Amino acid sequence: MAKNKEITVYLFLGFLESGKTKFIQETLEDPRMKNGEKTLLLVCEDGEEEYESSRFKAGKVGVEFIDAIAELNAQNLANLQRKHYADRVIIEYNGTWLLDDLFEAMPENWVIVQMMSFFDSNTFLSYNKNMRQLVFDKINMTQMVVFNRFKGDMEKMEFHKVVRAISRRPDIVYEYLGGKAEFDDIQDPMPFDIEAPIVEIEDRDFALFYRDLSENPQQYVGKKVKFKGMAAVSKQLPQGTIVIGRYIMTCCADDIAYDGFALITNGKISGVQTKDWLEIVAEVGYEYSAVYRQQGPVLSAIKIDRAQPLPAEEEVATFY
């Protein structure tokens, strides 16, 4: 086997009893998995459900257990892959471990080709409330979110909003107790009218607006926007250019950071200091700015007024 041969990795995320083991078991029972490749199954947590290797139809499958996060290192993982002559690796990851620990430990020739996250619908909303960082970690980069044990009286929108506040990337699947599965088809209109003569952003919607304008700037070019934000001023920026934005919490309190857009004041206000609150109406452009040191959304002021700060409990913008 070539030393640097690319090893495909299938990564399954979620907390205990979320359905990972059942899904992986069924995958390895599928005869279509028997394509001549040898498989290494890495199990990173000890759940109630055990694998029945006698039912695997995926060819040669070696099972190894990673009992401690200290065992996640490139040398150990590479040794396990070589031990089983594996061409592909399936990982059932521990729900209490962060993904960065795995990414840092993976050998350079391991390439993730699929990532799925599983949650028990009965506990998901509680986990999101009390262990937000771990939930965020399991959804942020995944390709699919599966809500197991879903019931007809559950409100899909509650689950949908949590996922979409973290990422628009993954498909969402609701799997009912009887085995029926439904793909999420809920549309995600923004809570503001992007086609209005002036796109007005409510204070509570700033985080969504910030992400949408950052990710889809061309949709806003030439449009007028109105919102309230906190100024940041730097002598390193060209005269007449400031930053207007908010503190935003993406995941948890530890990741709160100030994010904002370049604003050309056009002489509409003077004497602005960092942390001054302003309400602006501006036209959106997309060009190079020293704020980003590359191209990005640049707001050209039409009107700037001083504004009252938001209450302390509302000062940090969130997605949920």
Side-chain angles (χ1 to χ4, degrees):
M1 181 181 297
K3 183 176 180 181
N4 295 318
K5 176 184 176 181
E6 186 175 284
I7 304 299
T8 55
V9 177
Y10 300 82
L11 181 56
F12 299 93
L13 312 172
F15 301 107
L16 274 173
E17 309 310 316
S18 62
K20 302 190 301 293
T21 302
K22 179 176 181 290
F23 184 87
I24 295 171
Q25 175 75 40
E26 291 174 351
T27 299
L28 292 173
E29 289 179 14
D30 190 336
R32 290 173 296 180
M33 287 289 287
K34 189 174 182 179
N35 56 7
E37 291 187 324
K38 299 181 179 66
T39 303
L40 168 62
L41 172 58
L42 290 178
V43 183
C44 299
E45 62 184 2
D46 186 16
E48 291 186 8
E49 191 168 349
E50 297 183 356
Y51 286 101
E52 298 181 50
S53 57
S54 62
R55 297 171 57 183
F56 291 167
K57 293 182 173 62
K60 184 174 176 56
V61 179
V63 182
E64 296 284 349
F65 292 86
I66 303 292
D67 298 317
I69 202 165
E71 298 175 27
L72 281 181
N73 61 76
Q75 187 62 55
N76 185 41
L77 296 181
N79 287 342
L80 292 174
Q81 179 258 317
R82 286 195 292 268
K83 173 183 173 181
H84 295 278
Y85 300 94
D87 304 295
R88 63 189 171 203
V89 177
I90 295 175
I91 303 176
E92 181 183 357
Y93 199 57
N94 191 306
T96 64
W97 297 352
L98 295 176
L99 274 174
D100 280 348
D101 294 314
L102 174 63
F103 295 156
E104 292 175 6
M106 280 175 45
E108 290 185 2
N109 63 324
W110 286 26
V111 179
I112 296 174
V113 295
Q114 185 178 46
M115 189 183 305
M116 296 178 64
S117 298
F118 296 81
F119 296 98
D120 184 335
S121 301
N122 297 287
T123 57
F124 174 73
L125 297 177
S126 175
Y127 281 177
N128 181 61
K129 181 179 179 180
N130 298 299
M131 296 189 294
R132 173 70 180 179
Q133 184 178 14
L134 291 175
V135 171
F136 179 93
D137 187 64
K138 304 303 176 286
I139 292 177
N140 187 38
M141 298 180 64
T142 196
Q143 296 161 317
M144 180 178 288
V145 175
V146 179
F147 289 114
N148 281 309
R149 306 178 184 96
F150 203 77
K151 300 174 184 175
D153 59 351
M154 291 178 170
E155 179 55 57
K156 289 181 182 178
M157 181 59 78
E158 291 186 73
F159 297 80
H160 173 96
K161 287 172 66 175
V162 173
V163 176
R164 288 292 175 253
I166 296 172
S167 174
R168 299 183 192 178
R169 181 185 303 111
D171 291 324
I172 303 173
V173 177
Y174 306 97
E175 187 167 299
Y176 292 83
L177 290 170
K180 174 186 174 183
E182 289 182 350
F183 275 86
D184 184 292
D185 59 0
I186 298 173
Q187 298 299 310
D188 287 299
M190 286 296 165
F192 43 84
D193 184 2
I194 194 173
E195 300 302 329
I198 298 178
V199 183
E200 297 194 38
I201 310 303
E202 298 290 337
D203 296 333
R204 65 177 179 272
D205 299 325
F206 181 83
L208 289 170
F209 167 68
Y210 176 81
R211 184 173 68 182
D212 199 49
L213 177 50
S214 299
E215 295 179 352
N216 306 292
Q218 298 303 332
Q219 289 188 155
Y220 290 83
V221 171
K223 295 184 181 295
K224 298 178 177 64
V225 296
K226 178 181 180 180
F227 63 88
K228 183 190 294 184
M230 182 190 294
V233 178
S234 172
K235 292 181 179 179
Q236 297 180 356
L237 296 177
Q239 186 174 1
T241 296
I242 64 173
V243 178
I244 183 77
R246 293 270 300 277
Y247 283 99
I248 297 177
M249 181 170 70
T250 303
C251 161
C252 51
D254 290 340
D255 77 353
I256 293 174
Y258 178 84
D259 292 304
F261 300 112
L263 172 65
I264 301 173
T265 60
N266 292 326
K268 303 299 181 182
I269 197 171
S270 61
V272 175
Q273 301 294 316
T274 294
K275 293 192 175 181
D276 284 352
W277 282 84
L278 307 172
E279 184 171 76
I280 72 163
V281 177
E283 183 172 330
V284 180
Y286 187 77
E287 59 191 69
Y288 177 87
S289 172
V291 171
Y292 316 114
R293 297 184 181 178
Q294 61 181 11
Q295 286 194 320
V298 176
L299 310 182
S300 181
I302 298 170
K303 182 181 181 182
I304 304 178
D305 294 314
R306 293 189 179 273
Q308 290 296 315
L310 292 176
E313 65 272 16
E314 299 177 17
E315 186 171 303
V316 176
T318 64
F319 292 95
Y320 53 93

